[in-house]
Amino acid sequence: MARHVIDGRPALDRAGVAAHTGAAYSTVNHWHRHRARFGFPEGFPHDGREWFWLDDIEAFHAAHQVAKRAELTKVDRRGDSDDLIGSGTAARVLGYGSYRNLPDTLYDHPDRVETLPDGRVRRLWFRRTVWAVADARTGRQSTGRTPGTTGARKPHPYADDPRLPAAIALLTEADRAGCDRRGLGVALAQQLNITERTAQRLLAAAYAASGTSSGQTA
């Protein structure tokens, strides 16, 4: 479950935050782990899970995008918008040290192409095209992979197990009380009348759902 209405307000779990913001699940975990640095909202427990108010996430993400754009290189706005420029000049306009840093959205879509006597291809862009690409930047760094090829995050094998809420509740209770996690596997096995191995697997799924380190639970 990624989205749920709680007391009349829409809320998201971490998977929901990832889907709503377009960020990777690991990025959401990073934001949460370093929330003092990023200003990520505090979550709250509900039915054994951690949730975040949708409006808090939207406010955070809007501010985060503004901050990311502020970190972008300074764009050179000088010159005529109809000037045709090569890759080296385009890189300088964008504040990059080399044409190798040009984004694919620009490099792969030149306004003009010239074939040089030695057979090499020279790409040219109108200065206005380079400015438009600069204005469309969000600050998100490329992963070097074609968009859409990373695949969806694979859930834990026990992610949909009906016994998982009991494991999450036990973990949450232990953390709130400041108790050692060792022994939780035995306690959960006795509570659910299951084997300790199965209990350990359920606890591993609970850790994955909460984004915390598994620690020792023997």
Side-chain angles (χ1 to χ4, degrees), residues 126-182:
F126 290 112
R127 198 178 293 269
R128 62 174 179 270
T129 300
V130 179
W131 289 339
V133 169
D135 292 339
R137 294 183 300 177
T138 64
R140 181 177 299 170
Q141 297 299 315
S142 171
T143 62
R145 300 179 182 178
T146 302
T149 62
T150 55
R153 176 178 175 269
K154 294 182 179 179
H156 192 281
Y158 279 69
D160 295 323
D161 194 294
R163 299 165 295 185
L164 183 59
I168 294 176
L170 185 63
L171 172 62
T172 302
E173 181 180 352
D175 286 349
R176 285 178 179 173
C179 298
D180 194 328
R181 290 178 177 177
R182 287 176 294 185

XYZ file of all heavy atoms in Angstrom, residues 126-182:
436
model
N 21.345 26.521 -31.963
C 21.076 27.930 -31.738
C 21.300 28.210 -30.256
O 21.025 27.364 -29.395
C 19.630 28.274 -32.122
C 19.371 28.231 -33.602
C 18.552 27.255 -34.146
C 19.953 29.175 -34.452
C 18.316 27.211 -35.508
C 19.723 29.134 -35.820
C 18.903 28.149 -36.350
N 21.789 29.389 -29.974
C 22.050 29.740 -28.578
C 20.759 29.644 -27.759
O 20.773 29.240 -26.597
C 22.640 31.152 -28.501
C 23.339 31.462 -27.185
C 23.924 32.866 -27.216
N 25.013 32.987 -28.179
C 26.294 32.775 -27.885
N 26.629 32.400 -26.657
N 27.223 32.928 -28.806
N 19.630 29.967 -28.379
C 18.350 29.899 -27.662
C 18.006 28.461 -27.275
O 17.346 28.223 -26.260
C 17.229 30.507 -28.508
C 16.958 29.802 -29.828
C 15.732 30.379 -30.534
N 15.471 29.736 -31.817
C 15.966 30.148 -32.978
N 16.749 31.224 -33.017
N 15.680 29.509 -34.100
N 18.434 27.495 -28.103
C 18.188 26.090 -27.780
C 18.962 25.689 -26.529
O 18.433 24.998 -25.649
C 18.603 25.187 -28.953
O 17.843 25.536 -30.114
C 18.377 23.721 -28.624
N 20.201 26.135 -26.455
C 21.030 25.825 -25.284
C 20.435 26.465 -24.039
O 20.372 25.846 -22.968
C 22.478 26.305 -25.508
C 23.340 26.004 -24.292
C 23.066 25.649 -26.757
N 19.966 27.692 -24.173
C 19.341 28.358 -23.025
C 18.090 27.607 -22.573
O 17.829 27.483 -21.374
C 18.977 29.798 -23.397
C 20.158 30.706 -23.551
C 21.410 30.524 -23.035
C 20.206 31.931 -24.281
N 22.233 31.560 -23.388
C 21.532 32.449 -24.153
C 19.283 32.658 -25.024
C 21.928 33.642 -24.745
C 19.671 33.855 -25.617
C 20.986 34.342 -25.476
N 17.310 27.116 -23.534
C 16.082 26.391 -23.186
C 16.403 25.111 -22.419
O 15.716 24.757 -21.452
C 15.287 26.069 -24.454
N 17.449 24.406 -22.849
C 17.858 23.194 -22.138
C 18.320 23.541 -20.730
O 18.019 22.836 -19.762
C 18.974 22.467 -22.922
C 19.600 21.366 -22.076
C 18.414 21.885 -24.212
N 19.035 24.651 -20.600
C 19.492 25.087 -19.280
C 18.304 25.382 -18.367
O 18.303 25.010 -17.185
C 20.371 26.324 -19.415
N 17.286 26.030 -18.916
C 16.120 26.394 -18.108
C 15.303 25.175 -17.697
O 14.534 25.237 -16.731
C 15.223 27.360 -18.885
C 15.882 28.714 -19.093
O 16.810 29.032 -18.320
O 15.483 29.434 -20.027
N 15.456 24.069 -18.428
C 14.683 22.860 -18.127
C 15.384 21.957 -17.124
O 14.816 20.955 -16.693
C 14.410 22.084 -19.418
N 16.611 22.299 -16.746
C 17.342 21.444 -15.815
C 16.679 21.445 -14.444
O 16.122 22.443 -14.012
C 18.794 21.912 -15.676
C 19.615 21.767 -16.941
C 21.055 22.183 -16.712
N 21.167 23.575 -16.275
C 22.320 24.158 -15.961
N 23.450 23.474 -16.040
N 22.350 25.419 -15.578
N 16.774 20.298 -13.761
C 16.186 20.167 -12.423
C 17.234 19.949 -11.356
O 16.921 19.958 -10.168
C 15.214 18.978 -12.373
O 15.941 17.767 -12.601
C 14.125 19.124 -13.417
N 18.480 19.690 -11.753
C 19.509 19.402 -10.762
C 19.689 17.931 -10.521
O 20.556 17.507 -9.773
N 18.858 17.096 -11.132
C 18.989 15.655 -10.960
C 20.150 15.155 -11.795
O 20.226 15.412 -12.990
C 17.695 14.955 -11.389
C 17.742 13.447 -11.218
C 16.416 12.828 -11.591
N 15.351 13.321 -10.742
C 14.062 13.094 -10.979
N 13.698 12.420 -12.037
N 13.150 13.565 -10.156
N 21.055 14.439 -11.176
C 22.224 13.931 -11.871
C 21.882 12.664 -12.639
O 21.090 11.836 -12.198
C 23.349 13.632 -10.870
C 23.834 14.868 -10.138
C 24.404 15.906 -11.081
O 25.168 15.578 -11.970
N 24.028 17.154 -10.894
N 22.518 12.497 -13.783
C 22.288 11.308 -14.592
C 22.916 10.087 -13.946
O 23.970 10.158 -13.326
C 22.896 11.513 -15.983
O 22.875 10.313 -16.721
N 22.249 8.953 -14.089
C 22.791 7.702 -13.575
C 23.629 6.999 -14.621
O 24.250 5.979 -14.343
C 21.655 6.748 -13.165
O 20.874 6.439 -14.323
C 20.772 7.372 -12.105
N 23.621 7.529 -15.852
C 24.345 6.873 -16.924
C 23.544 5.766 -17.570
O 24.022 5.066 -18.447
N 22.286 5.610 -17.150
C 21.430 4.582 -17.718
C 20.290 5.222 -18.481
O 19.869 6.335 -18.169
C 20.843 3.693 -16.612
C 21.892 2.969 -15.784
C 21.227 2.136 -14.717
N 22.200 1.456 -13.875
C 21.882 0.691 -12.843
N 20.630 0.512 -12.511
N 22.820 0.106 -12.130
N 19.802 4.528 -19.463
C 18.666 5.029 -20.214
C 17.454 5.078 -19.301
O 17.176 4.124 -18.589
C 18.358 4.100 -21.406
O 19.522 4.012 -22.214
C 17.186 4.628 -22.216
N 16.703 6.211 -19.273
C 15.539 6.310 -18.402
C 14.583 5.147 -18.614
O 14.299 4.753 -19.742
C 14.898 7.649 -18.829
C 16.044 8.447 -19.371
C 16.943 7.446 -20.042
N 14.088 4.618 -17.503
C 13.113 3.541 -17.574
C 13.711 2.155 -17.599
O 12.986 1.165 -17.656
N 15.069 2.048 -17.558
C 15.677 0.727 -17.652
C 16.124 0.182 -16.313
O 16.594 -0.941 -16.236
C 16.901 0.757 -18.587
O 17.888 1.649 -18.038
C 16.517 1.220 -19.970
N 15.989 0.982 -15.246
C 16.460 0.510 -13.954
C 15.488 -0.477 -13.325
O 15.859 -1.244 -12.460
C 16.656 1.690 -12.989
O 15.438 2.435 -12.909
C 17.762 2.606 -13.486
N 14.237 -0.444 -13.747
C 13.268 -1.406 -13.239
C 12.703 -0.995 -11.897
O 13.250 -0.158 -11.183
N 11.571 -1.582 -11.563
C 10.931 -1.276 -10.290
C 11.667 -1.956 -9.151
O 12.299 -2.990 -9.323
C 9.471 -1.748 -10.317
N 11.591 -1.343 -7.990
C 12.222 -1.927 -6.816
C 11.506 -3.222 -6.466
O 10.288 -3.280 -6.361
C 12.124 -0.939 -5.647
C 12.664 -1.486 -4.350
C 12.559 -0.418 -3.270
N 12.957 -0.951 -1.987
C 12.110 -1.503 -1.135
N 10.835 -1.613 -1.446
N 12.532 -1.949 0.032
N 12.275 -4.289 -6.282
C 11.681 -5.574 -5.966
C 11.314 -5.629 -4.488
O 12.141 -5.353 -3.626
C 12.665 -6.708 -6.296
C 12.962 -6.834 -7.781
C 13.898 -7.998 -8.045
C 14.179 -8.136 -9.541
N 15.108 -9.252 -9.817
N 10.077 -6.000 -4.157
C 9.686 -6.062 -2.759
C 10.305 -7.263 -2.069
O 10.724 -8.225 -2.704
C 8.158 -6.199 -2.842
C 7.925 -6.893 -4.151
C 8.982 -6.351 -5.076
N 10.366 -7.187 -0.755
C 10.840 -8.319 0.028
C 9.865 -9.480 -0.163
O 8.655 -9.275 -0.289
C 10.917 -7.911 1.504
C 11.652 -8.886 2.360
N 11.075 -10.051 2.797
C 12.914 -8.879 2.853
C 11.949 -10.715 3.535
N 13.067 -10.024 3.583
N 10.349 -10.737 -0.199
C 9.453 -11.888 -0.397
C 8.307 -11.951 0.598
O 7.260 -12.508 0.301
C 10.400 -13.086 -0.236
C 11.735 -12.563 -0.643
C 11.762 -11.142 -0.169
N 8.491 -11.388 1.802
C 7.444 -11.424 2.817
C 6.691 -10.093 2.909
O 5.946 -9.866 3.862
C 8.051 -11.763 4.182
C 8.308 -13.240 4.395
C 9.305 -13.894 3.677
C 7.563 -13.979 5.299
C 9.553 -15.244 3.861
C 7.808 -15.338 5.491
C 8.809 -15.964 4.767
O 9.050 -17.308 4.949
N 6.864 -9.217 1.893
C 6.293 -7.873 1.969
C 4.772 -7.879 2.096
O 4.193 -6.987 2.709
C 6.719 -7.061 0.746
N 4.110 -8.871 1.500
C 2.643 -8.928 1.537
C 2.122 -9.984 2.511
O 0.932 -10.307 2.492
C 2.093 -9.210 0.133
C 2.394 -8.084 -0.843
O 2.355 -6.918 -0.423
O 2.671 -8.391 -2.018
N 2.989 -10.502 3.359
C 2.580 -11.537 4.306
C 1.635 -10.931 5.349
O 1.927 -9.876 5.921
C 3.808 -12.126 5.001
C 3.490 -13.425 5.723
O 2.722 -13.384 6.712
O 3.998 -14.472 5.301
N 0.483 -11.563 5.610
C -0.470 -11.011 6.585
C 0.080 -10.952 8.004
O -0.479 -10.256 8.861
C -1.664 -11.970 6.480
C -1.102 -13.236 5.921
C -0.014 -12.806 4.988
N 1.175 -11.664 8.274
C 1.778 -11.636 9.608
C 2.785 -10.502 9.769
O 3.290 -10.263 10.875
C 2.467 -12.982 9.888
C 1.517 -14.181 9.870
C 2.275 -15.498 9.795
N 3.017 -15.632 8.533
C 3.686 -16.726 8.183
N 3.707 -17.781 8.986
N 4.333 -16.776 7.029
N 3.073 -9.796 8.661
C 4.089 -8.746 8.705
C 3.751 -7.617 9.681
O 4.643 -7.134 10.389
C 4.320 -8.186 7.302
C 5.412 -7.116 7.167
C 6.757 -7.656 7.628
C 5.502 -6.631 5.721
N 2.489 -7.151 9.763
C 2.184 -6.083 10.721
C 2.572 -6.428 12.154
O 2.995 -5.550 12.917
C 0.668 -5.905 10.573
C 0.388 -6.304 9.158
C 1.320 -7.453 8.903
N 2.442 -7.706 12.530
C 2.824 -8.107 13.884
C 4.327 -7.947 14.084
O 4.791 -7.519 15.153
C 2.404 -9.556 14.136
N 5.109 -8.267 13.047
C 6.562 -8.121 13.131
C 6.947 -6.648 13.218
O 7.828 -6.260 13.996
C 7.225 -8.776 11.922
N 6.277 -5.804 12.425
C 6.564 -4.370 12.451
C 6.208 -3.780 13.814
O 6.951 -2.970 14.378
C 5.793 -3.647 11.332
C 6.301 -4.104 9.958
C 5.922 -2.134 11.468
C 5.531 -3.524 8.791
N 5.057 -4.208 14.351
C 4.632 -3.701 15.654
C 5.624 -4.095 16.745
O 5.946 -3.296 17.632
C 3.239 -4.226 15.980
N 6.115 -5.332 16.686
C 7.079 -5.799 17.680
C 8.380 -5.008 17.580
O 8.963 -4.605 18.598
C 7.342 -7.292 17.479
C 8.253 -7.973 18.518
C 7.618 -7.917 19.900
C 8.517 -9.422 18.117
N 8.826 -4.769 16.355
C 10.045 -3.989 16.135
C 9.876 -2.560 16.635
O 10.748 -2.015 17.322
C 10.385 -3.987 14.643
C 11.527 -3.067 14.197
C 12.827 -3.472 14.851
C 11.651 -3.085 12.679
N 8.738 -1.944 16.304
C 8.477 -0.566 16.726
C 8.429 -0.457 18.243
O 8.988 0.474 18.839
C 7.148 -0.075 16.127
O 7.204 -0.164 14.698
C 6.872 1.369 16.525
N 7.766 -1.417 18.883
C 7.659 -1.406 20.342
C 9.036 -1.537 20.997
O 9.345 -0.836 21.970
C 6.749 -2.546 20.801
C 6.548 -2.606 22.311
C 5.632 -3.750 22.719
O 5.049 -4.384 21.812
O 5.512 -4.005 23.920
N 9.872 -2.415 20.441
C 11.210 -2.612 20.998
C 12.056 -1.355 20.849
O 12.783 -0.964 21.766
C 11.885 -3.795 20.316
N 11.961 -0.704 19.687
C 12.742 0.509 19.451
C 12.289 1.647 20.357
O 13.107 2.416 20.872
C 12.633 0.927 17.982
C 13.450 0.028 17.065
O 14.252 -0.773 17.578
O 13.284 0.132 15.833
N 10.984 1.771 20.542
C 10.476 2.837 21.407
C 10.919 2.640 22.853
O 11.200 3.602 23.567
C 8.947 2.873 21.335
C 8.393 3.481 20.054
C 6.882 3.439 20.057
N 6.327 4.036 18.849
C 5.035 4.010 18.529
N 4.168 3.409 19.334
N 4.609 4.574 17.414
N 10.960 1.381 23.271
C 11.353 1.077 24.646
C 12.865 1.066 24.821
O 13.367 0.958 25.941
C 10.771 -0.274 25.062
N 13.593 1.181 23.699
C 15.045 1.154 23.763
C 15.598 -0.214 24.093
O 16.700 -0.333 24.637
N 14.829 -1.252 23.771
C 15.245 -2.619 24.085
C 16.190 -3.167 23.016
O 16.156 -2.743 21.859
C 14.025 -3.533 24.189
S 12.875 -3.083 25.502
N 17.006 -4.118 23.421
C 17.888 -4.808 22.489
C 17.029 -5.643 21.544
O 16.080 -6.313 21.977
C 18.847 -5.707 23.271
C 20.000 -6.197 22.406
O 19.804 -6.390 21.193
O 21.087 -6.403 22.964
N 17.363 -5.608 20.257
C 16.576 -6.368 19.288
C 16.844 -7.869 19.346
O 16.085 -8.647 18.781
C 16.864 -5.854 17.877
C 16.310 -4.454 17.618
C 16.671 -3.994 16.228
N 16.092 -2.694 15.920
C 16.307 -2.044 14.790
N 17.100 -2.579 13.874
N 15.752 -0.875 14.573
N 17.915 -8.242 19.984
C 18.187 -9.668 20.114
C 17.077 -10.322 20.926
O 16.680 -9.834 21.971
C 19.544 -9.892 20.778
C 20.717 -9.585 19.864
C 22.039 -9.718 20.569
N 22.190 -8.710 21.620
C 23.300 -8.552 22.334
N 24.345 -9.342 22.125
N 23.362 -7.615 23.260
